[in-house]
Amino acid sequence: MTTVTRFAPSPTGLLHIGNIRTALHNWLIARKARLSGEGGRFLLRIDDTDAARSREDYVEAIRADLAWLGLHPDGEERQSARFALYEREFARLVAEGRVYRCYETAQELDLKRKVALGRGLPPIYDRAALSLSEADHAAKAAAGEAPHWRFKLDHDTPIAWVDGIRGPQHFDPRQMSDPVIRRADGSWLYMLPSVIDDIDMGVTQVLRGEDHVTNTAVQVQMFTALGATPPAFAHEALLVGAEGKLSKRLGSLGLAELREQGIEPEALIALLARLGTSDPVDPALGVDELAASFDLARFGRAPARFDETELMRLNGAILHHLPFARVTAQLPEGIDEAVWQAIRPNLATLAEATVWWQVINGPIEAPLPDADTAAYLAQAAQAAAALDWAAEPWQQLTATLKAATGRKGKDLFLPLRLALTGVAHGPEMATLLPLIGREEALARLARAAG
Ligand code: GLU
């Protein structure tokens, strides 16, 4: 059977790191199924039933974020284009008495809740509206009162599912309120359209955040009421910050900010694919390897820690692996494959490539040496001019100078590095020197010698 997953954001804001993790995991599940030959599809479903809060620019931002990560959906659907289907399915539930009309105002419901709590009872909707007669409904209609609708939970069927992450789950429907599914103005709440869509789109696996666990309990009954078998459900633990607490920052941390910090999509994917498991994060793994080894059973129920410092470190490790072809378009003009190979071990972000490119290409500003060092550099300039630049010039240069001056270690190397690059650290001089080139290197040494 083909595995079908979906990512179903409401376009009422930008994606944050938690949503992105959910999207990635759903993508990985579908990808894994596809790689195994079973067949897998990953759908993007825009949950835009809330016309007042949904925005087109958010829809575009969601698409752009997924594209930047390389999480291309195999199909895209929008709930706002599917109202006719919801009406049809709703009509079936009306005919079967699985949804019912209610008129309580928010204040009345609030009062009912307080009374129940005051009596030490759970604040569950009392189903008062179920005892209204047709005449009562007619009178409400005549008075211009439109009903909202609730889904009638089946009190005689306990709710149970085996959660892919949380294990066996049990809910007693008698301890739950019949959920409102449709407002008095006819608009839909999230719960029912989602189930109708999951059935219609053949979704086999619903993976989402654990804030949806109680929704799932209700939705399990909705699947059954609509004559469908519920999909496999799994709920991921929430993300917390590095300090282990629920973090406001993570609730708003999106791709734009991470991109600005120089985070590459590969780094984010490598980290998020493993976040919530105790498996090590491995910068060397590509997406298909991450997909092949993705397993919900590896995920724990404890909150998953998202550590931005770890992400930054991982970003460096990832950059050190990236092939030239992957980064060509983002590099400054003039950087060729040899330069990329030389500088990538020193990068924490791709933007730093510009800095090293200038070190190679010039102009550089070298610090002023003292008299002793200046004399040494003059000697170096002479030696450099006499080298065979076709064969490991740095090794030749340092060997020559070592023999001629008796300098060694830092005294031998550092003045040369400073004169040739302007900075005290950086990529291997043996790699840099041929890239700087004979003419430019001689000029830099001569200039530094004064
Ligand atoms: N639109 C819902 C949300 O963003 C979807 C939840 C789900 O995956 O079913 O929370």
Side-chain angles (χ1 to χ4, degrees):
M1 192 176 73
T2 300
T3 296
V4 181
T5 63
R6 87 307 193 265
F7 174 52
S10 306
T12 54
L14 297 171
L15 297 182
H16 56 73
I17 199 76
N19 308 134
I20 290 161
R21 179 178 68 142
T22 304
L24 171 66
H25 291 176
N26 277 292
W27 184 89
L28 288 169
I29 291 171
R31 183 74 168 190
K32 178 179 185 174
R34 186 181 303 176
L35 290 172
S36 78
E38 268 171 53
R41 283 168 58 73
F42 165 72
L43 304 177
L44 171 61
R45 192 183 77 206
I46 303 294
D47 280 4
D48 58 351
T49 55
D50 186 342
R53 291 176 58 230
S54 296
R55 275 174 35 184
E56 206 49 37
D57 53 335
Y58 290 137
V59 175
E60 270 152 35
I62 290 166
R63 287 192 196 121
D65 280 355
L66 293 181
W68 184 73
L69 288 164
L71 308 181
H72 302 291
D74 300 304
E76 182 183 315
E77 302 282 353
R78 294 183 74 133
Q79 292 199 315
S80 57
R82 300 170 59 81
F83 288 135
L85 174 66
Y86 307 153
E87 286 298 348
R88 278 202 303 278
E89 295 302 289
F90 177 72
R92 278 211 293 146
L93 295 175
V94 173
E96 287 163 19
R98 286 308 298 271
V99 291
Y100 61 96
R101 290 164 285 181
C102 303
Y103 302 89
E104 290 92 347
T105 63
Q107 289 91 321
E108 283 165 339
L109 290 171
D110 196 41
L111 189 63
K112 280 182 194 242
R113 262 193 300 272
K114 285 190 177 130
V115 170
L117 287 170
R119 292 200 199 127
L121 299 170
I124 298 167
Y125 177 60
D126 60 8
R127 292 186 159 179
L130 270 183
S131 47
L132 296 174
S133 67
E134 277 313 312
D136 294 331
H137 288 299
K140 296 274 190 197
E145 261 189 82
H148 59 269
W149 294 79
R150 287 185 190 260
F151 176 77
K152 191 173 158 205
L153 290 168
D154 172 2
H155 278 183
D156 300 323
T157 307
I159 298 165
W161 75 91
V162 179
D163 194 284
I165 293 174
R166 298 164 65 84
Q169 303 290 299
H170 298 277
F171 283 81
D172 178 359
R174 289 170 204 273
Q175 301 297 316
M176 298 165 67
S177 288
D178 290 336
V180 176
I181 52 156
R182 198 168 190 182
R183 300 183 190 90
D185 65 3
S187 65
W188 298 99
L189 280 104
Y190 147 76
M191 214 76 88
L192 183 64
S194 177
V195 171
I196 294 171
D197 282 343
D198 286 340
I199 296 171
D200 188 59
M201 295 167 193
V203 171
T204 59
Q205 163 81 65
V206 171
L207 172 67
R208 54 191 179 186
E210 69 180 11
D211 48 327
H212 281 288
V213 170
T214 49
N215 290 342
T216 298
V218 166
Q219 289 181 321
V220 163
Q221 285 214 348
M222 290 180 175
F223 278 98
T224 315
L226 291 167
T229 308
F233 282 103
H235 296 85
E236 312 200 89
L238 297 180
L239 283 191
V240 293
E243 62 301 328
K245 290 202 212 97
L246 277 183
S247 137
K248 225 178 173 169
R249 171 165 171 76
L250 292 190
S252 63
L253 180 61
L255 289 191
E257 188 177 335
L258 292 173
R259 232 182 341 238
E260 220 160 272
Q261 290 173 24
I263 299 296
E264 298 300 324
E266 289 90 345
L268 197 57
I269 285 177
L271 182 67
L272 293 182
R274 291 286 193 256
L275 204 63
T277 73
S278 51
D279 297 341
V281 173
D282 184 346
L285 295 184
V287 276
D288 283 349
E289 289 154 307
L290 290 171
S293 57
F294 187 82
D295 182 1
L296 287 179
R298 311 290 301 162
F299 284 79
R301 290 185 60 166
R305 275 176 201 236
F306 179 78
D307 182 344
E308 286 184 69
T309 326
E310 188 186 359
L311 180 60
M312 226 348 145
R313 242 190 343 258
L314 188 61
N315 200 56
I318 293 265
L319 281 173
H320 308 166
H321 283 98
L322 284 187
F324 181 59
R326 155 67 177 80
V327 292
T328 320
Q330 287 150 274
L331 292 174
E333 276 275 324
I335 295 192
D336 61 13
E337 174 135 28
V339 173
W340 172 245
Q341 301 282 350
I343 65 178
R344 75 180 179 176
N346 286 76
L347 301 179
T349 67
L350 203 50
E352 291 171 4
T354 309
V355 176
W356 294 117
W357 177 229
Q358 187 166 351
V359 162
I360 293 169
N361 202 33
I364 61 152
E365 235 173 276
L368 216 54
D370 58 26
D372 189 34
T373 311
Y376 171 54
L377 291 172
Q379 222 174 335
Q382 271 187 357
L387 292 181
D388 171 7
W389 278 74
E392 308 198 319
W394 176 252
Q395 284 83 344
Q396 293 179 59
L397 178 65
T398 50
T400 309
L401 290 171
K402 189 175 182 179
T405 65
R407 285 178 180 247
K408 51 185 192 266
K410 208 172 147 196
D411 290 340
L412 179 69
F413 299 118
L414 190 57
L416 297 174
R417 182 182 276 280
L418 282 172
L420 287 163
T421 70
V423 279
H425 62 94
E428 295 287 337
M429 284 307 299
T431 327
L432 280 184
L433 194 53
L435 295 171
I436 294 169
R438 180 177 192 275
E439 201 180 328
E440 174 71 11
L442 296 184
R444 289 182 190 181
L445 289 171
R447 205 168 340 123

